[in-house]
């Protein structure tokens, strides 16, 4: 790590999946242009872990959570962010998944959770909910390089979106949303139709190798997760952004665009 590099903040990203006419579709949002990270880019919903996500008081309200407190908190973050940012709630009440009617009655709490005026613990207690951490499949782990001013230690999760939950962008952090086939998003980025940052692009490509949701979940569950900390290499023909080959991505290096002279 370079001297004085900021410590990466724990973060979670969730890839909500549903079957589409030609395979898997994933829910993505367009970041607000005033957001200081990936502004205007097509991304998966997610964000930084909140201190409350680490609280042991949440334990009775979690099902299938990771044994590690840190990883458990990231799972909580993934589910909380999915609800706050796009209105999908991976939770159960009395052993049954939250249905559309209950979800509709909870929509007014999204903003209060987001601005901190309602704690996650109170939200779960008040509504007798248990977060369904068992529905998350660990997909990837990326760490922002030390040379970046803002750094995140981000875990990516796959989850099947409940069929009666209507995913929508929140209008605050994200200004547009789309259900899209991974390979279509990659193609539109290549054509210049969408802005997609390097980690998102690589994970779209990996998701695009699967033909069904069942395949994506089963294969991913068996794969080891290799942490990805990108680095740069100066070569004769320019500067390259590189990631470990053992992480299992189709592309492990990409030539960076030349900076225009000042």
């Amino acid at each position: 790590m370079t001297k004085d590099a900021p410590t990466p903040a724990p973060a979670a990203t969730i890839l909500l999946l549903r079957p589409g006419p030609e395979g898997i579709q994933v829910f993505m949002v367009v970041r607000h242009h005033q957001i200081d990270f990936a502004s205007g880019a097509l991304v998966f919903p997610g964000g930084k872990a909140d201190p409350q996500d680490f609280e042991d008081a949440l334990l009775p309200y979690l099902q299938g959570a990771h044994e590690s407190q840190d990883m458990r908190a990231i799972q909580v973050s993934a589910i909380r962010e999915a609800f706050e940012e796009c209105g999908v709630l991976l939770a159960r009440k009395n052993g049954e998944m939250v249905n559309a009617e209950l979800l509709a009655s909870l929509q007014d709490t999204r903003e209060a959770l987001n601005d901190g005026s309602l704690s996650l613990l109170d939200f779960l207690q008040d509504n007798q909910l248990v977060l369904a951490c068992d529905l998350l499949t660990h997909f990837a782990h990326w760490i922002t390089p030390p040379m970046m001013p803002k750094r995140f230690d981000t875990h990516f999760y796959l989850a099947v979106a409940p069929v009666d939950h209507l995913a929508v962008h929140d209008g605050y952090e994200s200004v547009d949303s789309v259900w899209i086939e991974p390979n279509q998003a990659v193609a539109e980025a290549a054509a210049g139709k969408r802005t997609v940052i390097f980690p998102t692009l690589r994970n779209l490509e990996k998701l695009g190798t699967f033909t069904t949701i069942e395949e994506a979940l089963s294969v991913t569950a068996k794969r080891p997760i290799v942490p990805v900390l990108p680095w740069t290499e100066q070569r004769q023909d320019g500067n390259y952004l590189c990631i470990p080959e053992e992480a299992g991505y189709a592309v492990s290096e990409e030539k960076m665009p030349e900076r225009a002279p000042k």
Side-chain angles (χ1 to χ4, degrees):
M1 187 177 294
T2 58
K3 184 180 179 181
D4 299 327
T7 301
T13 291
I14 190 162
L15 284 65
L16 291 168
L17 309 178
R18 75 177 186 185
E22 297 185 24
I24 298 173
Q25 290 184 331
V26 61
F27 184 73
M28 302 188 74
V29 297
V30 177
R31 278 281 186 256
H32 196 290
H33 287 276
Q34 293 180 348
I35 298 291
D36 59 1
F37 180 78
S39 64
L42 187 68
V43 299
F44 308 117
K48 287 191 297 184
D50 194 270
Q52 66 176 332
D53 299 336
F54 293 82
E55 294 177 358
D56 288 339
L58 290 172
L59 278 170
Y61 305 95
L62 307 179
Q63 187 168 4
H66 199 283
E67 293 179 0
S68 158
Q69 183 188 39
D70 288 346
M71 289 304 297
R72 184 178 76 228
I74 298 301
Q75 291 178 316
V76 171
S77 301
I79 296 176
R80 178 179 53 75
E81 286 285 344
F83 181 55
E84 290 178 14
E85 194 167 350
C86 48
V88 171
L89 181 56
L90 300 176
R92 297 183 177 96
K93 182 169 184 174
N94 299 326
E96 300 290 334
M97 285 297 297
V98 169
N99 59 28
E101 182 180 1
L102 176 55
L103 183 65
S105 72
L106 298 172
Q107 289 301 316
D108 289 345
T109 63
R110 289 170 61 192
E111 188 172 349
L113 282 167
N114 194 31
D115 66 20
S117 58
L118 174 65
S119 74
L120 179 60
L121 180 60
D122 285 343
F123 169 71
L124 297 175
Q125 289 178 333
D126 292 347
N127 296 286
Q128 300 175 311
L129 296 173
V130 174
L131 298 185
C133 299
D134 57 304
L135 298 183
L136 301 175
T137 299
H138 199 190
F139 185 65
H141 179 196
W142 283 65
I143 305 164
T144 312
M147 67 278 199
M148 300 297 288
K150 278 189 175 291
R151 303 186 66 212
F152 300 94
D153 185 338
T154 306
H155 291 270
F156 293 69
Y157 292 96
L158 302 181
V160 181
V163 292
D164 56 353
H165 291 207
L166 180 64
V168 290
H169 56 280
D170 62 7
Y172 299 99
E173 292 184 7
S174 51
V175 294
D176 196 8
S177 58
V178 63
W179 282 100
I180 191 168
E181 293 172 12
N183 292 330
Q184 180 185 347
V186 171
E188 291 183 5
K193 294 180 180 179
R194 295 189 183 274
T195 300
V196 182
I197 60 176
F198 184 81
T200 307
L201 202 56
R202 300 288 80 86
N203 283 297
L204 281 167
E205 290 168 346
K206 180 176 280 192
L207 185 60
T209 63
F210 302 115
T211 55
T212 66
I213 292 175
E214 293 75 18
E215 180 193 9
L217 296 177
S218 62
V219 172
T220 298
K222 297 171 187 173
R223 282 180 175 170
I225 302 296
V226 177
V228 176
L229 176 61
W231 70 91
T232 57
E233 290 183 6
Q234 182 65 47
R235 303 176 185 173
Q236 286 187 340
D237 61 339
N239 216 18
Y240 282 76
L241 184 63
C242 308
I243 61 175
E245 290 186 10
E246 58 268 26
Y249 291 92
V251 174
S252 58
E253 60 181 42
E254 180 176 272
K255 187 177 180 181
M256 299 173 70
E258 299 289 339
R259 291 185 178 181
K262 294 182 179 180

